[in-house]
Amino acid sequence: MKKYAAEFVGTFWLVLGGCGSAVLAASVPTFGIGFLGVSFAFGLSVLTMAYAIGHISGCHLNPAVSIGLFAAGRFEAKELPPYIAAQVLGGLAAAGILYLIASGQPNFALDGFASNGYGELSPGGYSLCAALVCEIAMTAIFLFVILGATSKNAPAGFAPIAIGLCLTLIHLISIPVTNTSVNPARSTAVAVFAGSGALAQLWAFWVAPIVGGVLGALIYKAIGKEQD
């Protein structure tokens, strides 16, 4: 149970740190951190938790990562349901706390609540096709970096830095397109509070990251198999 609890806590921190920065700090007058700050917040949340719980659960924090690791032969199928359940529940707990904090402001408005979307719900108005391609490509690269950085042949101790910076770069690229998911648990957590529009589009942010995760794993296996 310790590894499931670790995934719960880790995903809790990812959503609270990443989505919290978007909801509470991104557009604060004068001191707002903007897209750049939010991108680093997501990267730092993964980096810090990778060092904190990587030795306990592997620090997946993401159903697409767990499924991708399974596709790469580094994770057992029997572990997928409890890992994914812990990730989703951890994200929902963080989103609930974030809602309580954010709603304490006098002029509180949901305003998307850091949810993901396409079309009218895309920050840049990008289409469904653009959103799907973006999420698949970004998640594929994310898995590729995770597998390479955690390879037994990679420099020891540096994987969290590479993974955290990769997630930062992913957000820098794709926030304007989908508000960046690459993580179904993160998307589900805030969609529940954001309302029916985000919930109606949530399917895309389960399908695309999972497809991307599997694709990234297969590409890495083709390139890195001999070295691993």
Side-chain angles (χ1 to χ4, degrees):
M1 291 299 296
K2 289 183 178 180
K3 54 190 176 184
Y4 308 142
E7 286 295 302
F8 178 96
V9 172
T11 312
F12 177 93
W13 181 232
L14 171 69
V15 172
L16 190 61
C19 296
S21 70
V23 172
L24 302 175
S27 57
V28 176
T30 307
F31 301 106
I33 61 174
F35 283 177
L36 179 62
V38 173
S39 298
F40 273 100
F42 273 100
L44 289 171
S45 66
V46 169
L47 189 157
T48 51
M49 271 298 159
Y51 279 117
I53 66 170
H55 59 289
I56 301 173
S57 68
C59 192
H60 298 185
L61 318 185
N62 183 339
V65 170
S66 296
I67 293 170
L69 292 174
F70 164 70
R74 293 199 191 173
F75 196 61
E76 296 184 75
K78 67 180 182 180
E79 295 282 17
L80 286 175
Y83 260 65
I84 293 172
Q87 292 156 1
V88 171
L89 291 173
L92 285 169
I97 287 179
L98 178 58
Y99 181 86
L100 290 175
I101 296 170
S103 61
Q105 192 177 41
N107 299 318
F108 168 71
L110 271 175
D111 195 27
F113 202 61
S115 59
N116 304 115
Y118 54 85
E120 292 183 356
L121 299 185
S122 161
Y126 286 83
S127 67
L128 171 59
C129 180
L132 291 174
V133 170
C134 182
E135 288 290 325
I136 290 171
M138 297 299 159
T139 315
I141 291 298
F142 193 37
L143 260 293
F144 189 90
V145 170
I146 289 171
L147 290 166
T150 57
S151 166
K152 64 182 180 181
N153 298 304
F158 291 99
I161 298 173
I163 295 167
L165 288 176
C166 180
L167 189 60
T168 298
L169 180 55
I170 285 170
H171 279 77
L172 288 172
I173 298 167
S174 59
I175 283 178
V177 183
T178 63
N179 213 23
T180 310
S181 172
V182 301
N183 184 338
R186 166 260 190 273
S187 296
T188 301
V190 291
V192 168
F193 292 87
S196 59
L199 283 172
Q201 295 188 359
L202 183 59
W203 66 269
F205 302 101
W206 274 87
V207 172
I210 289 173
V211 170
V214 172
L215 181 61
L218 295 177
I219 293 171
Y220 184 81
K221 282 184 70 175
I223 295 174
K225 185 175 181 181
E226 292 182 358
Q227 287 73 33
D228 287 344

